[in-house]
């Protein structure tokens, strides 16, 4: 019992340290822990196919997957969009992107463009994307307002920014804080799916000038 208590305390301390660090530096989920994003727990609370279904995709749409990781959202999204659609997949870890390339080859997906780097100003084409998706990513980025502002500029009118957060992610963002940030940039709650352990919220870009 003592060993278990010490282990839990160590995990708690690590989570707190990670969360504080993310306030000042971008700390992505390590590529060698990619398997943890697709374990039974994650499949239960944030199933990738269900997240993609919530995007309300149509063939031919253009989608940006920011912080795409190994592509658990990028690939099923690309399959839904068909050959005339396109997925812009961005991640700052080359090893994660290599996993995405492998997954895309396995599913014979060719409508994904893979990009290495951080989210930054003028990275995305203004008013170009039908959907932008961020799954357990926002909390890892110190410049959260910059990211939301860039997403708002990049979306077409009526486009959707979809944000998913999962407990116990050390960098978990509450729905209230995410709503507040999105509202500042003309992104208003369109639909919310919420459980005690996770949520997905779709924010729609209004016609209001940014």
């Amino acid at each position: 019992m003592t060993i278990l208590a010490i282990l839990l305390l160590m995990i708690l301390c690590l989570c707190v340290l990670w969360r504080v660090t993310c306030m000042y530096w971008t700390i992505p989920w390590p590529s060698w822990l990619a398997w943890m994003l697709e374990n039974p727990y994650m499949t239960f609370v944030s199933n990738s196919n269900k997240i993609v279904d919530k995007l309300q995709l149509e063939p031919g749409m253009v989608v940006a997957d920011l912080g795409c990781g190994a592509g658990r959202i990028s690939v099923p999204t690309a399959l839904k969009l068909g050959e005339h659609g396109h997925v812009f997949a961005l991640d700052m870890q080359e090893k994660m992107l290599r996993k995405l390339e492998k997954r895309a080859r396995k599913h014979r997906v060719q409508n994904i463009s893979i990009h290495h780097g951080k989210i930054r100003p003028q990275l995305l084409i203004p008013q170009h994307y039908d959907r932008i998706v961020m799954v357990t990513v926002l909390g890892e980025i110190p410049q959260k307002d910059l990211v939301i502002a860039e997403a708002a500029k990049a979306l077409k009118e009526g486009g959707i920014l979809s944000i998913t957060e999962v407990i116990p992610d050390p960098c978990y963002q509450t729905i209230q804080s995410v709503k507040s940030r999105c509202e500042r940039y003309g992104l208003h709650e369109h639909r919310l799916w919420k459980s005690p352990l996770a949520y997905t919220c779709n924010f729609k870009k209004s016609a209001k000038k940014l």
Side-chain angles (χ1 to χ4, degrees), residues 69-195:
R72 77 182 189 103
I73 303 298
S74 300
V75 170
T77 296
L79 291 169
K80 283 264 188 179
L81 297 178
E83 60 179 339
H84 299 296
H86 179 74
V87 175
F88 174 98
L90 175 76
D91 201 274
M92 63 181 293
Q93 297 189 86
E94 292 185 4
K95 290 183 179 179
M96 281 291 199
L97 295 177
R98 286 200 288 270
K99 293 177 185 292
L100 168 54
E101 290 174 343
K102 183 178 180 180
R103 189 192 296 256
R105 286 196 299 270
K106 178 182 178 180
H107 292 275
R108 299 180 180 180
V109 171
Q110 298 181 330
N111 57 337
I112 297 178
S113 61
I114 298 174
H115 303 266
H116 175 239
K118 297 181 180 181
I119 304 170
R120 62 184 187 276
Q122 301 179 339
L123 172 70
L124 302 175
I125 302 171
Q127 300 185 29
H128 180 71
Y129 304 89
D130 298 283
R131 304 285 187 268
I132 295 178
V133 58
M134 300 180 68
V135 178
T136 62
V137 171
L138 187 61
E140 298 175 353
I141 304 168
Q143 303 88 0
K144 296 174 181 59
D145 280 287
L146 181 151
V147 173
I148 300 298
E150 288 301 306
K153 293 175 185 176
L155 283 169
K156 298 176 182 177
E157 296 296 341
I160 288 175
L161 169 63
S162 182
I163 294 179
T164 296
E165 293 289 332
V166 177
I167 295 173
D169 182 350
C171 300
Y172 177 85
Q173 301 293 294
T174 66
I175 183 60
Q176 290 81 8
S177 66
V178 173
K179 283 182 182 180
S180 177
R181 291 183 189 279
C182 288
E183 288 282 345
R184 297 174 202 167
Y185 301 99
L187 298 171
H188 305 289
E189 181 183 339
H190 175 61
R191 189 166 180 187
L192 173 65
W193 297 264
K194 188 176 181 180
S195 74

Side-chain angles (χ1 to χ4, degrees), residues 10-73:
M10 290 175 62
I11 293 173
L12 177 61
C13 291
L14 178 60
C15 289
V16 171
L17 178 62
W18 195 329
R19 187 174 184 88
V20 172
T21 304
C22 285
M23 295 172 64
Y24 304 99
W25 294 280
T26 301
I27 310 293
W29 190 257
S31 60
W32 57 275
L33 288 177
W35 61 272
M36 291 188 66
L37 300 177
E38 301 182 61
N39 60 39
Y41 173 80
M42 289 295 288
T43 300
F44 176 70
V45 301
S46 64
N47 183 277
S48 57
N49 289 321
K50 290 183 178 179
I51 291 174
V52 172
D53 287 342
K54 291 167 184 173
L55 293 174
Q56 303 172 316
L57 299 173
E58 297 178 9
M61 281 185 167
V62 180
V63 177
D65 184 4
L66 304 183
C68 61
R72 77 182 189 103
I73 303 298

